[in-house]
Amino acid sequence: MSEEKHHQHHLFHHDKPEESQFAALEVAYSETTYGDEQVTQTADVYAVDNVNYSELEHEKALKEKNHKREEHLGELGAVAAGAFALYEKHEAKKDPEHAHRHKIEEEISAAAAVGAGGFVFHEKESKKEAEEGEGKKHHHLF
């Protein structure tokens, strides 16, 4: 019998790579002489999406991706809560016996949709601030 690894793929538990996805590709050195002293500086170089980044640029890219991902999750939450609010509004009309309960659930889910929309706005502003720090310009209407 040959010994083979049995890989189980689950929805949330994927196989983790042996090395970090963002492992340092190389170490960059720079040497500078100030008078009699020689100073050596080092910086790790990373690759994300086939683009080389320094360590600070790597952190900025990860933050930007995180803001974008959280913005999309907030949008999804706002849509889901809004859809549930509409469903409860329909149920209130359809089931007059429990209409009060359905109206309360409708209001709660509508409030959750507004909260998710606020979170999306917050993440969008955070993403803009992170991009402005990199030197990208945005045109503001107000």
Side-chain angles (χ1 to χ4, degrees):
M1 294 177 105
S2 66
E3 293 182 21
E4 296 180 13
K5 290 185 178 179
H6 179 67
H7 294 286
Q8 291 183 349
H9 297 282
H10 299 283
L11 182 62
F12 295 111
H13 302 287
H14 298 287
D15 290 335
K16 294 182 180 175
E18 292 178 14
E19 293 183 19
S20 173
Q21 179 182 356
F22 304 110
L25 293 176
E26 59 187 73
V27 177
Y29 295 98
S30 84
E31 295 183 4
T32 309
T33 305
Y34 297 104
D36 294 335
E37 292 183 37
Q38 186 172 3
V39 178
T40 303
Q41 297 175 338
T42 63
D44 293 336
V45 178
Y46 293 87
V48 180
D49 296 333
N50 297 325
V51 178
N52 289 337
Y53 290 100
S54 71
E55 199 170 334
L56 292 175
E57 291 170 336
H58 171 69
E59 289 177 15
K60 288 179 185 177
L62 288 179
K63 284 183 182 180
E64 193 172 311
K65 279 186 173 185
N66 187 35
H67 287 302
K68 184 176 183 179
R69 182 175 46 245
E70 287 185 357
E71 180 182 343
H72 288 304
L73 285 174
E75 290 170 352
L76 180 64
V79 169
F84 187 72
L86 289 175
Y87 168 76
E88 286 299 326
K89 186 173 189 174
H90 169 73
E91 286 294 313
K93 290 179 183 177
K94 185 177 161 186
D95 185 14
E97 226 174 90
H98 300 101
H100 183 68
R101 174 179 169 232
H102 292 297
K103 285 182 181 182
I104 291 172
E105 289 180 356
E106 174 193 352
E107 291 295 322
I108 291 171
S109 59
V114 170
F119 179 73
V120 169
F121 182 75
H122 165 74
E123 285 301 318
K124 187 174 291 254
E125 289 299 312
S126 297
K127 186 172 72 171
K128 283 182 183 179
E129 287 175 7
E131 288 175 355
E132 286 174 1
E134 294 176 4
K136 296 180 183 177
K137 306 248 177 171
H138 290 281
H139 299 285
H140 297 285
L141 299 175
F142 302 107

